[in-house]
Amino acid sequence: MMWELVFDDKGVTASAAGFADDVARAGVTDLFVFSHGWNTAEDSARRLYAELFPLVENAASGVAGLGTIGFVGVLWPSLWFPETKASVAPASGSTQAAGSVEEARSGTDALSGAEIAASLATGFADPAPVLALGRILDEAQEAARAGVADDVLVRRFEEFHALLGSLAATVPEYEDAGERALLTSTDPTGTYQALAEVFGSAPAGGAQQGIGDWFGRALGGAKDALRVFSYNVMKARAGEVGRKGLGPLLSTLRGVRVHLIGHSFGARLVSFALAGVGDPSPVASLLLLQGAFSHWSFAHAKDNPFGEDGALHAYANRVRGPLVATYTRFDLAVCRWYPKASFLARADQSASTAGRWGGMGEDGFQAVTPSADRVMRADGTTKYDFEPGTFYRVNAEDVINDTRADAFAGAHSDFVKPAVARLVVAAASHS
């Protein structure tokens, strides 16, 4: 048995009528609720659920601790960003010897402003301001090629930045708000040039095609700023949909154990549903697959670089069973690009500082107790032995490791596999 819950960007749904009654009539005792992540159209989300849910159903067959199972596929308006040909190459001046520094290039600079904006605009009720962002960048590029004075070009970037800032979302959780430093910068021209270096969008020498060095860097960085903007909006939107939409709706269920599963920004959505689910909570387990939100979100103030409890620290007890998060170094979206979006908020580029803005999919829950570590085996032989109320970091490198499908995101979405389905069932059956 499967249901769809469709939410708008404010967490409002027209598909909730009769939902709790339908679940009760179906006799469901264990309800698996899954939220897709970033850049996922509704058709793509439905295909994902059609592939994953049968794997979970098969893995759950005959497992003690589970009764009649049902599934919910959450649909929410995550933004779309065009695919880019990202790459990793030896950094300028370095050798290819073992341990040499590598330079990651996002490939965003190869897109036109119009291409990026047209893709992002699908996620907004009013697409006009987003389309204007792309138009400003393309017009500035044409003006630069025509030899317009630098001060005129600077003003175009200032116009772009003001509009971008007006559209950016406010993420109230401090540990997830690193990119706000970029979006609220008072020096957009300088900031975009720096961002181009961070994302690898600074034009190579001799590739300027008549455009000044500073402008080429600023233009590439402005396009990367649109990517950071998309992260910002998706992050805020996921929290809003979870807290105001999914959580309260789950509270209407009676006699049902809910197993929350989320991927990428969808992991943030189901996590923030805990803030809206109320007490008593029907949530029996939480599984975050390559979560694209702060690994400090459930943290206690001690050992937390922010010196305060994470935004979700007070809601962890609304999960009666285990809280589980996968991580893998092959997830380039979370391990490489996600922290770069917060580069202006860092004091430097050191590994310890970068961890301040790291994501769940990089290394799992941080500064939580009680906690334990597990390893997911590709052959499915892992005995997880989960305990209720414990945070688990699951190293999924043996399973979530195929980087071939997406040069930018790597293995970020490589989770539709039997071993992952067994993890879903292990978390649910130990709640």
Side-chain angles (χ1 to χ4, degrees), residues 335-355:
C335 295
R336 177 185 296 160
W337 303 113
Y338 180 88
K340 288 179 182 290
S342 299
F343 86 104
L344 273 185
R346 301 189 219 161
D348 56 50
Q349 294 291 319
S350 72
S352 60
T353 304

Side-chain angles (χ1 to χ4, degrees), residues 131-349:
L131 295 174
L133 289 168
R135 185 167 59 252
I136 291 170
L137 293 185
D138 291 342
E139 289 174 354
Q141 184 171 27
E142 289 304 312
R145 286 175 174 160
V148 169
D150 283 0
D151 62 336
V152 176
L153 299 177
V154 168
R155 286 197 293 273
R156 294 315 305 269
F157 282 120
E158 291 173 345
E159 178 187 358
F160 169 86
H161 193 67
L163 179 56
L164 186 69
S166 72
L167 296 174
T170 299
V171 181
E173 292 75 35
Y174 56 87
E175 70 269 25
D176 253 322
E179 61 268 35
R180 290 294 302 176
L182 164 68
L183 299 171
T184 59
S185 168
T186 58
D187 177 22
T189 302
T191 294
Y192 294 161
Q193 291 181 74
L195 188 64
E197 297 292 341
V198 170
F199 273 85
S201 296
Q208 308 296 331
Q209 297 182 340
I211 298 178
D213 287 355
W214 80 267
F215 180 83
R217 290 195 302 274
L219 180 64
K223 292 175 181 178
D224 281 314
L226 284 172
R227 189 188 292 278
V228 175
F229 165 73
S230 76
Y231 289 179
N232 167 260
V233 174
M234 278 192 286
K235 189 182 291 183
R237 186 173 291 178
E240 187 91 345
V241 172
R243 185 164 25 210
K244 296 183 178 179
L246 181 60
L249 183 56
L250 295 178
S251 295
T252 65
L253 297 170
R254 294 292 180 268
V256 178
R257 301 193 313 164
V258 173
H259 307 290
L260 292 176
I261 311 140
H263 170 241
S264 186
F265 284 102
R268 191 175 198 271
L269 190 156
V270 298
S271 294
F272 275 82
L274 298 175
V277 79
D279 190 26
S281 168
V283 179
S285 65
L286 176 71
L287 173 57
L288 311 179
L289 297 172
Q290 298 311 114
F293 71 112
S294 176
H295 50 196
W296 306 107
S297 294
F298 287 89
H300 49 69
K302 182 183 177 183
D303 302 326
N304 182 338
F306 300 97
E308 299 181 44
D309 288 337
L312 294 170
H313 177 77
Y315 304 112
N317 61 6
R318 294 185 180 179
V319 181
R320 299 200 302 271
L323 301 90
V324 183
T326 68
Y327 67 92
T328 169
R329 62 188 170 92
F330 298 106
D331 184 341
L332 305 184
V334 177
C335 295
R336 177 185 296 160
W337 303 113
Y338 180 88
K340 288 179 182 290
S342 299
F343 86 104
L344 273 185
R346 301 189 219 161
D348 56 50
Q349 294 291 319

Side-chain angles (χ1 to χ4, degrees), residues 70-102:
F71 298 94
V72 172
V74 175
L75 302 175
W76 62 286
S78 63
L79 300 182
W80 300 352
F81 200 92
E83 290 188 9
T84 59
K85 294 183 178 180
S87 63
V88 177
S92 176
S94 69
T95 68
Q96 296 194 36
S100 64
V101 177
E102 287 188 319

